[in-house]
Amino acid sequence: MTIARHVKNACLALIALSSVGALQSAFAVGTPAGTTINNQATVDYSVGGVPQNQLSAAVPFVVDRKVDLTVTEVSGNATLTTPGQNDVIATFRVTNNGNGSQGYQLSIVQDVGPGFVVFGHDDNLNVNNLRWFVDVNNNGTYDGPDNETNIGSLATDADGESRLVFVLADIPVGAGNNTYANVRLTAIAVATDGSTLTQSSALDDPNVEQIVFADAGRDRTESAADQYHVQSAALTITKTLQVISDPFNGGSNPKAIPGAVVQYRIRMINASTTTAATAVTVTDNIPANTTFVPGSIRLDAGIVTDANGFIAGPPARVVVDAGAVPPNNGTTDGQVDVTFQVTINN
Amino acid sequence: MGTRDWVLAFAATLLVTTLTAHAADKPCVELKTSGETEQEVVEQGNKVKRLVPIDKIVPGDEVVWTITAKNVCKTATDNMVIANPVPEHMTYVVGSAMGTGTDITFSVDGQEFKNAADLQVRAADGTMHVARPDDYRAVRWAYKASFAPGAIAFVRYRAVVK
């Protein structure tokens, strides 16, 4: 009897040890697919005051594969860009929220608006040359084109569970100010060998790892949108003339008579509050019956030499590289003037 | 070793074998464990929650474990204690253990069992705190009354797949 009790106690001790040992493993994410969970209950009892051998009943089941993913737009804002800019990057993140490694097939489409509002603005522009690249080395920055357009495998640990995807587009030169182009990245979870996943429709087999789609919509497919917001300079040009002097009145109420000096002013106004117009060149032919006044070209208050601003032609003309017209943003006034003078021929 | 010692040793072996065989041949309690999940079903136009057999299980799913004990002997059983270590990869749902006619105690180390209110765990910094769901290692149900022949009873608790 005593020996039997000892045997029983030894069994209990073993069970206690094994359960404590089992408790020490921990997983950062969910229990991995394919893990067997075993529940073993025990009962101790007596009959007629005599303790009986302990009995146990076990029920094992296998944790099934939870396929769950999210696709998110990283910046939380539209990507600001300008007309004609190439390789403009919109960044997405694909995250594995499941309990097993998965691959992901990626695709990108752009909305053809109207009717697709992202970040409060409807789609009204199409961008060119859409491409996407996976941040294969996981360094968080776009390192140039490569061949990886799908994600081979994302693990379930905190370091390996997500990957950035860079979507590149070229902005049409003719894109207007405050136009918007939406792009959408879609990721479809696949097996790590790239093969298609099928959700198990059969009843649960407690001994087999089966597949459960647990993402929104339960279709193993998620997508997110980003937007290219084109900000263009919006230049308007006005040309005015002023008679500076004539041979008879001098500078006092001068009249446009032969020999009079006339000043032309070409004023460029940038209506954009954010974007400078760059590489602005002003070309203006010298009117017939007038003669250019050497040394008279000004870019705002600055002198432009004739060598840099006057071409004798024909046609005789003023060509001034005005550089940039800044935005009208409170700091800069968004305005640049080019002036030059001519004399009316005798 | 003399002849007398041999006989004693043989007798002792025989005794143990007989007792063990006796107990193993005729266990007076049948124990069964089953896992189910709670699902909302529509019955007669009303949504009700029912326990259904485990379907596919993924992390985050809750399993209702039921352990059923039945006295299959012609004599009563006493001092019946059912114990169930919370399975590996699962977290006990605090407050979920139930068992009619039992004293329910819990353990955070698999050895010492206490009432839920008395469960204290020593943190890494040496301070004590009330046991959290992850700290529960095992549940134990001690029946207060004896089990008549043919009596059947069950205890139950819930645990979530980590």
Side-chain angles (χ1 to χ4, degrees):
Chain A
M1 201 62 229
T2 312
I3 298 171
R5 288 297 299 272
H6 283 158
V7 170
K8 191 180 103 174
N9 287 340
C11 285
L12 274 179
L14 274 177
I15 288 168
L17 273 176
S18 63
S19 60
V20 168
L23 299 164
Q24 289 171 349
S25 55
F27 294 91
V29 187
T31 306
T35 303
T36 298
I37 291 184
N38 195 15
N39 188 14
Q40 180 129 22
T42 59
V43 62
D44 292 279
Y45 63 103
S46 305
V47 174
V50 179
Q52 304 294 302
N53 280 354
Q54 186 180 54
L55 299 171
S56 67
V59 182
F61 67 85
V62 170
V63 175
D64 294 311
R65 177 168 292 262
K66 176 184 179 184
V67 176
D68 192 5
L69 69 152
T70 50
V71 178
T72 53
E73 191 277 330
V74 170
S75 68
N77 298 296
T79 301
L80 295 179
T81 183
T82 54
Q85 196 175 349
N86 291 337
D87 299 339
V88 186
I89 299 176
T91 309
F92 294 86
R93 181 182 296 280
V94 178
T95 304
N96 179 4
N97 302 316
N99 64 342
S101 295
Q102 304 292 163
Y104 298 90
Q105 272 177 5
L106 305 178
S107 59
I108 188 98
V109 293
Q110 61 175 324
D111 291 343
V112 179
F116 299 94
V117 174
V118 174
F119 298 129
H121 295 287
D122 202 350
D123 177 90
N124 58 7
L125 173 73
N126 288 336
V127 291
N128 299 324
N129 196 18
L130 266 180
R131 295 143 286 155
W132 69 95
F133 302 100
V134 177
D135 185 19
V136 177
N137 62 7
N138 206 16
N139 68 351
T141 51
Y142 171 65
D143 302 314
D146 57 46
N147 296 322
E148 296 285 338
T149 51
N150 290 321
I151 298 174
S153 177
L154 290 184
T156 56
D157 59 273
D159 293 331
E161 68 180 10
S162 77
R163 196 71 87 233
L164 293 181
V165 177
F166 305 106
V167 174
L168 273 66
D170 297 347
I171 310 301
V173 175
N177 188 32
N178 289 333
T179 51
Y180 305 90
N182 299 345
V183 290
R184 289 174 196 270
L185 178 75
T186 298
I188 300 175
V190 294
T192 51
D193 64 2
S195 61
T196 304
L197 289 177
T198 306
Q199 186 165 228
S200 308
S201 57
L203 279 177
D204 185 55
D205 181 340
N207 301 312
V208 173
E209 176 192 320
Q210 291 166 300
I211 294 175
V212 176
F213 294 161
D215 59 312
R218 309 198 73 160
D219 56 1
R220 81 191 187 291
T221 304
E222 294 299 318
S223 67
D226 200 356
Q227 185 172 65
Y228 293 108
H229 175 186
V230 180
Q231 293 185 320
S232 172
L235 281 188
T236 52
I237 298 180
T238 53
K239 183 176 178 181
T240 54
L241 67 81
Q242 182 182 9
V243 181
I244 302 294
S245 64
D246 72 43
F248 301 101
N249 299 311
S252 173
N253 292 322
K255 300 292 184 290
I257 57 175
V261 175
V262 174
Q263 176 167 291
Y264 286 104
R265 186 192 72 194
I266 297 153
R267 170 161 288 180
M268 290 160 290
I269 295 175
N270 184 357
S272 170
T273 57
T274 57
T275 309
T278 55
V280 176
T281 302
V282 174
T283 301
D284 195 11
N285 288 354
I286 304 300
N289 304 312
T290 67
T291 303
F292 174 68
V293 177
S296 67
I297 306 172
R298 301 286 182 275
L299 176 59
D300 284 336
I303 296 171
V304 177
T305 63
D306 290 352
N308 287 332
F310 180 69
I311 296 172
R317 59 197 187 274
V318 170
V319 179
V320 174
D321 176 3
V325 179
N328 182 8
N329 59 9
T331 305
T332 53
D333 62 4
Q335 176 177 308
V336 170
D337 290 342
V338 172
T339 55
F340 64 92
Q341 294 175 355
V342 297
T343 53
I344 300 172
N345 293 345
N346 286 312
Chain B
M1 184 180 279
T3 310
R4 188 160 167 264
D5 293 337
W6 270 110
V7 172
L8 273 179
F10 178 72
T13 310
L14 192 67
L15 183 67
V16 171
T17 309
T18 309
L19 274 177
T20 310
H22 175 75
D25 284 349
K26 290 186 176 180
C28 271
V29 174
E30 262 182 21
L31 192 66
K32 187 183 151 210
T33 301
S34 63
E36 295 166 297
T37 54
E38 192 175 68
Q39 285 188 5
E40 205 168 64
V41 295
V42 177
E43 287 181 2
Q44 297 173 338
N46 296 320
K47 284 183 180 175
V48 290
K49 288 185 172 176
R50 288 277 179 264
L51 290 179
V52 298
I54 285 182
D55 197 1
K56 299 169 190 75
I57 290 284
V58 295
D61 286 346
E62 185 179 274
V63 174
V64 180
W65 292 111
T66 304
I67 301 118
T68 308
K70 182 183 181 186
N71 182 349
V72 294
C73 282
K74 290 192 169 63
T75 51
T77 59
D78 308 306
N79 306 324
M80 194 159 77
V81 176
I82 294 174
N84 195 174
V86 177
E88 190 185 359
H89 307 298
M90 297 194 87
T91 303
Y92 173 71
V93 176
V94 174
S96 69
M98 54 85 68
T100 307
T102 64
D103 283 328
I104 305 176
T105 51
F106 305 90
S107 177
V108 294
D109 59 7
Q111 295 178 8
E112 194 179 3
F113 285 79
K114 294 177 178 174
N115 292 323
D118 301 327
L119 280 184
Q120 293 278 317
V121 175
R122 186 177 297 279
D125 63 1
T127 59
M128 302 297 286
H129 66 80
V130 176
R132 292 187 275 259
D134 251 355
D135 295 323
Y136 284 72
R137 301 306 191 215
V139 188
R140 195 156 79 174
W141 296 263
Y143 277 90
K144 294 178 238 183
S146 62
F147 254 50
I152 189 164
F154 70 91
V155 297
R156 182 171 277 172
Y157 72 101
R158 294 162 185 259
V160 173
V161 179
K162 291 181 188 172

